[in-house]
Amino acid sequence: VLSEKMEALEKAKQQYSEVQKLFTRTEALILKEGSDIIIRLVGLNFAVGKSVIKPDNYTLLTKVQQAIQIYPGCMITAEGHTDSQGSDETNLKLSQERADAVKSYLLANMDIDWSRIRAIGYGEGNPIANNETSEGKALRNAAGGTGLRGSRDAKKHGRQRRSQSGLRWPGPARR
């Protein structure tokens, strides 16, 4: 039993390292929260008030696809965010459209079952950056535009947890 736990820890460490190597610091910040890995996509940019994925983001999203492949079978949540400009209702709608755009992109460009991925818009709630500066607003429209969270546990996938923008994979599901 101890050797299995050690092997699982070593595998998790190796997967984390592989994901770290995929991205530059201008593309994504790789974070650990407990046994979760979060990839905050600082290089994913949306025009203000828009949810269209621009061609200059395709390279970054290809790396996201590679990160997803490092964790086969994970459940994924695309999370959309906005800055605080505009009404709450408009921002919530825009953030959902951004999350839906990333979900659609991944489904169109990967061999992934649609039931493994969902999209949630948070509007200006659950901020990832300060909205009082132009840099913070840009970050909330960039990395905050959409992020991904992954989970190996389908039950956890169904729960809405507060997180930063990014890919998230909790550690191996307990058996």
Side-chain angles (χ1 to χ4, degrees):
V1 174
L2 180 60
S3 65
E4 289 176 4
K5 286 183 180 182
M6 294 301 289
E7 286 176 28
L9 284 172
E10 186 58 38
K11 181 178 179 181
K13 206 170 160 180
Q14 181 182 4
Q15 288 172 311
Y16 179 76
S17 177
E18 287 178 50
V19 170
Q20 278 186 311
K21 291 175 187 174
L22 287 174
F23 301 94
T24 66
R25 299 199 114 208
T26 59
E27 293 173 326
L29 300 176
I30 314 303
L31 309 167
K32 257 187 150 179
E33 186 178 282
S35 60
D36 294 2
I37 296 173
I38 302 166
I39 302 172
R40 187 180 302 160
L41 302 170
V42 296
L44 182 60
N45 296 295
F46 287 95
V48 175
K50 303 292 181 193
S51 61
V52 175
I53 295 174
K54 299 183 287 185
D56 60 340
N57 287 314
Y58 295 167
T59 301
L60 177 58
L61 290 173
T62 297
K63 292 181 179 186
V64 168
Q65 293 171 45
Q66 293 169 349
I68 290 170
Q69 291 169 351
I70 292 171
Y71 293 90
C74 69
M75 305 302 288
I76 302 154
T77 302
E79 298 178 339
H81 302 268
T82 64
D83 63 21
S84 63
Q85 298 299 308
S87 70
D88 289 346
E89 184 178 324
T90 298
N91 285 335
L92 189 59
K93 181 178 183 280
L94 177 60
S95 67
Q96 185 63 51
E97 290 170 353
R98 289 175 173 180
D100 288 338
V102 170
K103 175 184 175 180
S104 295
Y105 181 92
L106 292 173
L107 288 171
N109 291 284
M110 292 185 74
D111 183 22
I112 186 170
D113 187 276
W114 67 269
S115 66
R116 286 183 49 206
I117 186 167
R118 67 182 180 148
I120 297 176
Y122 289 103
E124 62 188 76
N126 196 19
I128 63 160
N130 181 333
N131 199 50
E132 301 302 316
T133 66
S134 57
E135 293 85 6
K137 287 179 183 178
L139 185 59
R140 287 174 71 154
N141 273 317
T146 297
L148 295 173
R149 174 195 345 200
S151 172
R152 289 191 165 174
D153 183 346
K155 289 179 185 173
K156 212 177 231 186
H157 180 63
R159 281 189 243 144
Q160 188 171 333
R161 294 184 352 184
R162 182 181 170 101
S163 76
Q164 303 294 333
S165 180
L167 289 167
R168 177 181 290 233
W169 282 276
R174 301 218 190 280
R175 295 180 192 224

